[in-house]
Amino acid sequence: MKSADPKRKYPKPGKKEEPQEFPGSEEQMNAKNDAELVHLARAGNREAYGELIRRYQHSIWGLACLLLDDRFEAEDMAQEAFLRAWLNLDLLSDPAKFAPWLRRIIFGVSIDWLRVFRPDLYRLTDVKTEAELFGQSAHAESAFDRHEAIDGIG
């Protein structure tokens, strides 16, 4: 059995200690807006990023559920999105727009997953429709080329 550390202060029996405030306390993190939390997280404060995760985990997971129609894969995609956001936090140009940026990340991660694991959603089964779509894009390119040529003349 280990003995208690004599240097450590323990509360006296029957006396409750008040929780101490410190710079990264949960109450202080709750009071900060997204931009402040992003700045702290960029400086390496993991508690600040943890607060951003707590704020948005449910909505990000919900968006992934809607896109994937699979709650378990949505959990994985949400985790992947938060990891990508953490690793690329320095690329966020406006820290106040963390939420829309994060939604864009989860959308991209989810679409990537769908392309790999549900490719039938991206394949056209109707050959006629596929030919029409390709024909339209060729027509659009030629119209664009004609517009460029006209602009070049004038």
Side-chain angles (χ1 to χ4, degrees):
M1 185 172 166
K2 293 183 179 180
S3 62
D5 183 6
K7 295 179 183 176
R8 185 171 174 182
K9 293 182 180 180
Y10 292 97
K12 293 181 181 177
K15 184 178 179 184
K16 292 184 179 179
E17 280 192 354
E18 294 295 319
Q20 295 180 358
E21 289 290 320
F22 58 93
S25 74
E26 189 174 334
E27 292 81 20
Q28 288 180 338
M29 291 296 172
N30 286 337
K32 295 190 181 301
N33 64 32
D34 287 356
E36 293 169 326
L37 290 171
V38 167
H39 287 299
L40 289 171
R42 283 179 173 168
N45 187 328
R46 290 180 183 216
E47 288 81 17
Y49 194 69
E51 176 59 27
L52 288 168
I53 291 173
R54 278 186 288 282
R55 285 183 186 181
Y56 295 107
Q57 67 185 356
H58 186 71
S59 63
I60 293 303
W61 174 78
L63 179 55
C65 279
L66 287 172
L67 293 168
L68 303 176
D69 197 30
D70 184 332
R71 60 183 283 191
F72 299 110
E73 290 298 336
E75 289 175 7
D76 289 345
M77 294 306 104
Q79 184 175 6
E80 177 68 21
F82 281 115
L83 177 62
R84 286 188 189 185
W86 170 255
L87 294 174
N88 296 300
L89 205 52
D90 57 326
L91 299 177
L92 177 59
S93 60
D94 183 358
K97 294 184 178 178
F98 177 79
W101 181 67
L102 185 61
R103 283 192 296 272
R104 181 66 188 115
I105 291 173
I106 191 62
F107 188 83
V109 167
S110 298
I111 294 300
D112 289 346
W113 184 89
L114 287 170
R115 284 184 182 140
V116 171
F117 294 102
R118 295 196 187 144
D120 52 311
L121 293 176
Y122 289 95
R123 289 191 189 129
L124 293 175
T125 56
D126 183 10
V127 176
K128 183 180 176 184
T129 305
E130 187 172 357
E132 287 175 5
L133 287 174
F134 285 122
Q136 286 177 356
S137 65
H139 178 69
E141 288 174 331
S142 62
F144 178 75
D145 291 339
R146 284 193 305 266
H147 181 66
E148 287 286 298
I150 292 169
D151 283 346
I153 294 171

